[in-house]
Amino acid sequence: MVNHEEMAQILLRHQKFLITAHIMPDGDAIGSMLGLGLGLQKKGRSITMMCPGGVPENLKFMPGSNRIISDNEISPHEYDIVVVLDSSDLERIEGIYERLPKDVVIANIDHHATNKGYGTYNYVDSTSAATGEQVYKILLSMEILPDPDIATCLFTAIATDTGFFKFSNTTSAALRIAADLVDKGASPDHISEQVYEDKSLGSLKMLGRVLDTVQVDTSGKIAWVEVHKGWLSEFSLDEGQTEGFVNYPRMIEGIEVAFIFRESTEDKIRIGMRSKGNFDVGLLAEMLGGGGHAKAAGCSLNHQSIDEARKLVFSKVYELMELAGG
Ligand code: 5GP
Ligand code: MN
């Protein structure tokens, strides 16, 4: 394991970078990728930025996002180093990890407690609110001062992963960094408007459809919503535009764990998880082959219907609740 200063020195030893992050990228994935990419470019490095599936509509306002390419445009042999951001395991960089050369140098920069340490170099810090916070520290160690573009990207990373500074991962350190990024040119009102308040009519109608599926289990502790196959294409949306929907079942009083079950196109059920009390959804996700944080996590289950997936997931929840004496 290395710290931010060591990671800065390691990165500076390389010239040709592939910077990537997890599939269904969120604000932290795209924001930390752009922050690091634009920063390293100031040091004369050659930068390719790639995200499996491309950039969701509501994150395209971030400066430089038009330079992010998708996985099928990449020859993974061309790079000195592959930087993997915000990804607890390598399978999260779907579409590219299978094609990486065996001897490739990987820099793993992430804040998930469930991180597998898959890199040649690993800078994993679960006390960081967002990977963007780690990138900020790396840039300062490289003596790169954030310009307004970098500040916008890193602020977006930290703001989105903390629910605009209201989730339990909101620390004074994250707030101090965010304040510095505002001094450097990030505009919180503009960023919030772009991320959350510039939605298509379809995405609001989709929210209505999804909210209509909300249910609470017999224990009264688990609530969930569902996204059925075909709904995304009906409203011309991608999966990323269901981001945040899982927060609604979490709002119901008495609920300890909330889920969103998404029937994905590749015969997969993608599951998003949120915890309201002490229940550790990161642990649950890890048991199911996924990962995440104690309060926000996810996994994918193959070839199952939502009902099958839900039964499996809930049985694990009950098991863990019993173990915890709850
Ligand atoms: P979200 O529900 O916002 O997509 O994800 C919540 C958290 O869980 C994020 O930190 C995300 O990276 C992680 N996560 C979501 N799905 C998966 C998954 O399938 N595998 C792993 N390892 N992590 C996931
Ligand atoms: Mn993150």
Side-chain angles (χ1 to χ4, degrees):
M1 192 69 73
V2 301
N3 63 26
H4 61 276
E5 282 160 353
E6 291 160 332
M7 184 54 89
Q9 296 318 312
I10 290 162
L11 294 179
L12 286 177
R13 290 207 292 268
H14 295 82
Q15 197 57 44
K16 259 192 120 191
F17 286 76
L18 175 62
I19 305 179
T20 181
H22 59 83
I23 186 135
M24 274 187 70
D26 54 13
D28 190 25
I30 301 291
S32 51
M33 174 184 296
L34 287 168
L36 184 64
L38 298 177
L40 281 167
Q41 211 167 265
K42 285 177 181 273
K43 288 275 176 191
R45 299 309 192 270
S46 150
I47 304 299
T48 301
M49 293 179 280
M50 185 282 284
C51 203
V55 182
E57 279 304 317
N58 68 331
L59 299 176
K60 286 191 174 157
F61 75 92
M62 272 190 267
S65 67
N66 57 346
R67 286 194 39 202
I68 299 177
I69 57 178
S70 68
D71 46 300
N72 48 19
E73 296 170 78
I74 288 286
S75 326
H77 294 266
E78 285 176 16
Y79 306 98
D80 304 338
I81 184 164
V82 178
V83 183
V84 183
L85 297 166
D86 199 33
S87 303
S88 59
D89 53 66
L90 210 49
E91 288 77 9
R92 294 282 284 151
I93 55 168
E94 222 168 87
I96 176 104
Y97 84 94
E98 309 90 334
R99 295 190 283 136
L100 291 176
K102 282 220 162 30
D103 55 351
V104 69
V105 176
I106 294 179
N108 165 16
I109 303 172
D110 182 35
H111 67 131
H112 291 93
T114 58
N115 191 288
K116 301 280 191 295
Y118 51 80
T120 319
Y121 305 104
N122 300 287
Y123 166 33
V124 178
D125 177 12
S126 61
T127 69
S128 283
T131 305
E133 188 175 325
Q134 296 171 273
V135 169
Y136 171 91
K137 290 186 188 167
I138 292 172
L139 293 187
L140 290 198
S141 298
M142 291 174 170
E143 293 174 356
I144 299 169
L145 277 188
D147 62 20
D149 285 356
I150 294 175
T152 297
C153 297
L154 294 181
F155 185 95
T156 305
I158 298 168
T160 51
D161 256 26
T162 56
F164 254 83
F165 311 104
K166 66 178 183 285
F167 297 158
S168 59
N169 59 346
T170 308
T171 60
S172 60
L175 288 163
R176 282 196 183 88
I177 293 172
D180 184 47
L181 293 169
V182 173
D183 285 340
K184 302 277 188 311
S187 163
D189 66 321
H190 171 72
I191 292 169
S192 157
E193 200 170 302
Q194 294 293 320
V195 176
Y196 301 112
E197 286 160 36
D198 207 12
K199 298 204 186 298
S200 65
L201 179 62
S203 78
L204 237 68
K205 290 212 177 267
M206 179 73 161
L207 174 60
R209 178 79 63 87
V210 172
L211 277 182
D212 220 19
T213 69
V214 70
Q215 291 183 70
V216 176
D217 83 319
T218 48
S219 74
K221 293 179 182 170
I222 312 176
W224 78 97
V225 290
E226 301 178 359
V227 181
H228 293 193
K229 210 177 238 169
W231 290 3
L232 291 170
S233 55
E234 186 183 333
F235 294 113
S236 306
L237 301 173
D238 55 47
E239 231 173 274
Q241 284 161 296
T242 61
E243 163 105 35
F245 287 9
V246 65
N247 293 319
Y248 289 94
R250 187 182 172 276
M251 288 173 187
I252 301 169
E253 62 176 343
I255 290 301
E256 293 178 22
V257 201
F259 294 96
I260 183 166
F261 293 91
R262 288 175 284 235
E263 267 175 356
S264 183
T265 38
E266 329 96 61
D267 278 336
K268 257 186 197 167
I269 309 288
R270 276 190 204 281
I271 306 170
M273 312 172 175
R274 296 291 184 273
S275 158
K276 196 147 124 186
N278 295 325
F279 189 88
D280 186 340
V281 285
L283 195 63
L284 172 70
E286 215 178 2
M287 284 169 74
L288 295 162
H293 309 287
K295 303 238 183 249
C299 70
S300 288
L301 297 177
N302 275 323
H303 305 296
Q304 301 190 29
S305 69
I306 286 185
D307 282 346
E308 280 172 328
R310 191 167 51 77
K311 277 182 195 135
L312 172 67
V313 174
F314 285 13
S315 70
K316 300 275 181 220
V317 175
Y318 298 133
E319 235 173 75
L320 287 172
M321 277 180 174
E322 245 159 58
L323 278 178

